[in-house]
Amino acid sequence: MIDTGRYLIGTAGVSGFGSKSTPDEGTENCDLRSTTAIITGATSGIGAETARVLAKRGARLIFPARNVKAAEEAKGRIVSEFPGTEIVVMELDLSSMSSVRSFVAGFESLHLPLNLLINNAGRLAHEHAISEDGIEMTFATNYLGHFLLTNLLLKKMIQTAEETGVQGRIVNVTSGIHGWFTGDLIEYLRLISQPKCQFDATRAYALSKLANVLHTKELSSRLQKIGANVTVNCVHPGVVKTRLTRDREGLLTDLVFFLTSKLLKTVPQAAATTCYVATNPRLVNVSGKYFTDCNETTPSGLGSNSSEATKLWAASEILVTQHPKAAFDPFS
């Protein structure tokens, strides 16, 4: 009850920020003119607001997008507000592992540094679908595509940090809904990746968001073991009505959002935690943590389970490897 009251009031936590904070406030003293950032899902909602604020602070931005036209329009809006902002639009379908590889190859051909990777894109669909790689579509888009994208970009991020002396940061956008998932992750993924199955859209979404949390935990451990000057954290942005719910529009969805309207954040408020974790100097060397309302908190019990994180990583390597028997080691 006390926590709910603090949330509604917007009481600041130990970071000095809270549920009502905005990304403009959280990045007020940040100078990102030497920063290159990749932001997935930057065409609308939280991703677009994150991109706007990073551009305001001077960052060079890379927009990977399935809908290139929408990305160009998002770029135009930012450049009109902040003339001189450098934004590169590139095609990427996160549900396709071949598309992820093509994007990374294209990015590498630009010979740019990479300081910041924000894995923000997500989908919530009520219809069951399978990706071209044979993986349930929500999991493929929200987690597996980002897993491969991150691994393929790690060498560039590690190299950039070594050359500049500035710590690289990876931010995985998850959701508090990750705590709704219980059971065997891999077995449930196997079941919903079949052409015919009993499909629960909410549980599938919760699984993908739990995978984001576990990915953060395991990747942080691996980065620390090799002494890489790169951190990774995950954030729960809060509840906000964005285009993420576009596949679930209707009377029931509208009624739920109306009844919970006092708990909803604005899009800027929802982007605040992402921007805080991506840029705040307080978080140097902070890695493997879970944040909400711009403050560190604790994920679910399953999301804190190191053995589950290791198991998911091993399964993910197999799923994204072109030749399943081949070793996949981004740190070599």
Side-chain angles (χ1 to χ4, degrees):
M1 189 71 178
I2 294 175
D3 288 341
T4 301
R6 288 174 176 169
Y7 174 86
L8 291 173
I9 297 171
T11 303
V14 295
S15 69
F17 302 102
S19 63
K20 302 302 182 184
S21 297
T22 68
D24 291 280
E25 295 167 347
T27 63
E28 188 173 2
N29 298 315
C30 293
D31 183 351
L32 302 181
R33 284 175 293 180
S34 298
T35 298
T36 299
I38 293 177
I39 309 172
T40 67
T43 59
S44 64
I46 296 169
E49 176 64 8
T50 299
R52 184 193 71 80
V53 173
L54 296 190
K56 182 177 182 179
R57 304 308 178 201
R60 174 198 289 127
L61 305 176
I62 313 296
F63 284 2
R66 187 166 56 89
N67 187 335
V68 173
K69 181 182 178 182
E72 291 288 357
E73 291 171 352
K75 171 183 175 179
R77 289 191 293 271
I78 290 176
V79 172
S80 66
E81 186 175 357
F82 307 112
T85 302
E86 184 180 350
I87 301 177
V88 179
V89 172
M90 302 177 68
E91 187 172 1
L92 171 62
D93 179 354
L94 281 163
S95 73
S96 164
M97 300 307 108
S98 64
S99 178
V100 173
R101 291 187 177 91
S102 294
F103 166 80
V104 173
F107 174 73
E108 289 178 341
S109 72
L110 299 176
H111 303 291
L112 294 172
L114 181 58
N115 310 91
L116 180 57
L117 172 61
I118 300 179
N119 292 320
N120 166 81
R123 64 174 290 157
L124 171 59
H126 67 281
E127 292 184 1
H128 181 245
I130 305 296
S131 75
E132 65 182 39
D133 301 290
I135 308 298
E136 188 276 319
M137 191 65 78
T138 302
F139 189 87
T141 303
N142 294 0
Y143 166 68
L144 196 62
H146 282 126
F147 173 84
L148 179 59
L149 177 68
T150 302
N151 277 13
L152 294 178
L153 291 171
L154 276 177
K155 284 184 179 179
K156 173 62 71 174
M157 294 198 73
I158 292 170
Q159 178 186 0
T160 299
E162 289 176 346
E163 292 175 350
T164 63
V166 178
Q167 192 167 74
R169 296 191 185 187
I170 300 167
V171 181
N172 290 329
V173 179
T174 181
S175 169
I177 289 175
H178 81 273
W180 295 11
F181 186 87
T182 58
D184 188 315
L185 287 76
I186 308 303
E187 177 60 18
Y188 185 63
L189 176 61
R190 186 189 68 79
L191 290 174
I192 61 176
S193 293
Q194 303 300 315
K196 294 183 179 180
C197 70
Q198 274 196 319
F199 183 66
D200 182 330
T202 302
R203 192 173 187 217
Y205 181 72
L207 171 65
S208 73
K209 296 288 100 180
L210 174 61
N212 294 144
V213 176
L214 293 173
H215 176 218
T216 301
K217 188 174 185 64
E218 180 67 14
L219 177 56
S220 176
S221 175
R222 289 171 178 252
L223 289 169
Q224 289 174 22
K225 284 178 181 177
I226 65 168
N229 191 22
V230 176
T231 64
V232 55
N233 292 289
C234 59
V235 304
H236 165 49
V239 183
V240 56
K241 189 173 183 181
T242 68
R243 292 190 64 207
L244 178 66
T245 59
R246 59 186 175 273
D247 292 331
R248 300 184 71 83
E249 293 293 338
L251 181 60
L252 180 59
T253 301
D254 290 342
L255 179 60
V256 169
F257 274 104
F258 173 76
L259 293 175
T260 60
S261 60
K262 295 299 182 183
L263 299 176
L264 294 182
K265 289 186 175 184
T266 65
V267 170
Q269 289 169 350
T273 305
T274 299
C275 291
Y276 171 78
V277 173
T279 66
N280 197 280
R282 284 189 180 196
L283 301 186
V284 170
N285 296 328
V286 174
S287 191
K289 305 302 182 181
Y290 176 81
F291 290 80
T292 186
D293 298 334
C294 299
N295 287 275
E296 183 183 335
T297 185
T298 305
S300 69
L302 198 52
S304 302
N305 191 310
S306 297
S307 62
E308 288 292 337
T310 302
K311 183 170 72 172
L312 176 64
W313 184 285
S316 301
E317 285 184 331
I318 295 172
L319 291 173
V320 302
T321 302
Q322 291 172 311
H323 304 288
K325 293 183 180 180
F328 183 81
D329 186 1
F331 304 111
S332 63

